[in-house]
Amino acid sequence: MADVVRLQFHSLRFSSSLLTSLNSLQPGLFVNQNPFRRAYALSDSSLARFAYRPRKQLVHFKVQAAVTETDQPKWWERSVPNMIDIHSTQEFLSALGQAGDRLVIVEFYGTWCGSCRALFPKLCRTAEDHPEILFLKVNFDENKPMCKSMNVKVLPYFHFYRGSEGQLESFSCSLAKFQKIKDAIELHNTARCSIGPPKGVGDLKLEPSLVQKDKSSESASA
């Protein structure tokens, strides 16, 4: 005998006399007295469609997705060959001292900064388009004393440096105003040769050893 599964459906209201007549005409066929319910006889093959399916595979998928997401690098960890992460004042001064006549663009960012995250992919593409420019990334939270001494009060913030000319300009920028960075690159990335050692960076002075090293390398090449 086929099993009976009750399914809820909205239907027309039948009178009690009609239901009684149906029961008398077809003995053995159950007719629910509730006018808003119907009973259907389903075969075993039909019931198989409603069989309980374990959620083991679904749980396994969720675990795998969480592991995959965790293994992906953070947005600020993406880099290109001419982009360097700065973790200390010494690293910052060393990078500027070794840049020579190259244009150096310094980005001050925060891992929690939404504007920094929105702008960063476009900055990476700009770095890829200009391999001759050196890009330095300074994490504000890791370098607070240095950032404060350089008057960084808003993020993202950019400094432009070049050789003996020192700091060229500085400004804050968002994704909507990214054209400011493009204009600054076009202005400062022209061919030129600096005369003299790199200048200091505000209150942060380049170490004499780095300047002396640059002079020694120039003498050797001559």
Side-chain angles (χ1 to χ4, degrees), residues 181-198:
I181 296 178
K182 292 183 177 180
D183 294 340
I185 290 176
E186 184 177 357
L187 176 63
H188 302 300
N189 197 33
T190 56
R192 67 185 80 175
C193 294
S194 300
I195 300 176

Side-chain angles (χ1 to χ4, degrees), residues 3-16:
D3 297 326
V4 176
V5 177
R6 296 182 179 178
L7 301 179
Q8 299 290 338
F9 289 91
H10 291 288
S11 62
L12 298 176
R13 178 175 296 179
F14 296 93
S15 64
S16 58

Side-chain angles (χ1 to χ4, degrees), residues 6 12 20 27 47 60 72 77 81 94 104 114 136-139 180 191 212 216 222:
R6 296 182 179 178
L12 298 176
T20 305
L47 285 172
H60 177 70
Q72 293 180 352
E77 294 176 346
S94 298
V104 180
L136 305 181
K137 295 160 50 185
V138 180
N139 189 325
K180 291 175 62 176
Q212 187 64 33
S216 299

Side-chain angles (χ1 to χ4, degrees), residues 10-215:
H10 291 288
S11 62
L12 298 176
R13 178 175 296 179
F14 296 93
S15 64
S16 58
S17 59
L18 179 58
L19 295 176
T20 305
S21 301
L22 289 175
N23 284 328
S24 62
L25 290 175
Q26 297 186 20
L29 177 63
F30 173 77
V31 178
N32 195 344
Q33 299 299 323
N34 189 336
F36 295 98
R37 293 185 181 179
R38 289 183 181 176
Y40 292 87
L42 301 177
S43 62
D44 293 338
S45 61
S46 298
L47 285 172
R49 300 180 182 179
F50 300 94
Y52 174 76
R53 296 181 181 179
R55 300 181 63 184
K56 181 178 180 180
Q57 294 182 352
L58 179 60
V59 175
H60 177 70
F61 170 78
K62 288 183 178 180
V63 172
Q64 289 295 109
V67 172
T68 303
E69 184 178 355
T70 304
D71 292 341
Q72 293 180 352
K74 304 295 188 300
W75 66 264
W76 63 87
E77 294 176 346
R78 181 188 172 188
S79 185
V80 294
N82 56 327
M83 184 176 285
I84 301 176
D85 288 287
I86 299 298
H87 303 286
S88 66
T89 303
Q90 181 60 42
E91 288 184 9
F92 179 68
L93 296 175
S94 298
L96 286 180
Q98 297 171 8
D101 287 332
R102 297 177 67 184
L103 177 63
V104 180
I105 300 178
V106 185
E107 180 204 16
F108 299 90
Y109 73 95
T111 59
W112 41 265
C113 174
S115 296
C116 300
R117 181 172 185 172
L119 177 142
F120 188 65
K122 198 164 186 177
L123 184 67
C124 289
R125 290 194 295 269
T126 302
E128 293 173 349
D129 295 337
H130 295 277
E132 75 282 0
I133 300 177
L134 178 63
F135 289 78
L136 305 181
K137 295 160 50 185
V138 180
N139 189 325
F140 180 83
D141 293 321
E142 292 181 357
N143 303 275
K144 285 185 178 180
M146 180 179 70
C147 292
K148 290 181 179 179
S149 66
M150 299 175 69
N151 202 31
V152 176
K153 298 180 180 180
V154 62
L155 299 176
Y157 202 75
F158 292 87
H159 280 193
F160 285 69
Y161 298 91
R162 188 161 188 178
S164 61
E165 299 178 52
Q167 182 175 329
L168 303 173
E169 64 176 305
S170 61
F171 52 80
S172 62
C173 185
S174 62
L175 180 60
K177 299 180 180 180
F178 196 83
Q179 187 62 38
K180 291 175 62 176
I181 296 178
K182 292 183 177 180
D183 294 340
I185 290 176
E186 184 177 357
L187 176 63
H188 302 300
N189 197 33
T190 56
R192 67 185 80 175
C193 294
S194 300
I195 300 176
K199 289 184 178 180
V201 185
D203 296 332
L204 305 174
K205 302 299 181 182
L206 291 177
E207 293 185 356
S209 59
L210 294 175
V211 178
Q212 187 64 33
K213 182 178 179 181
D214 293 339
K215 290 183 178 179

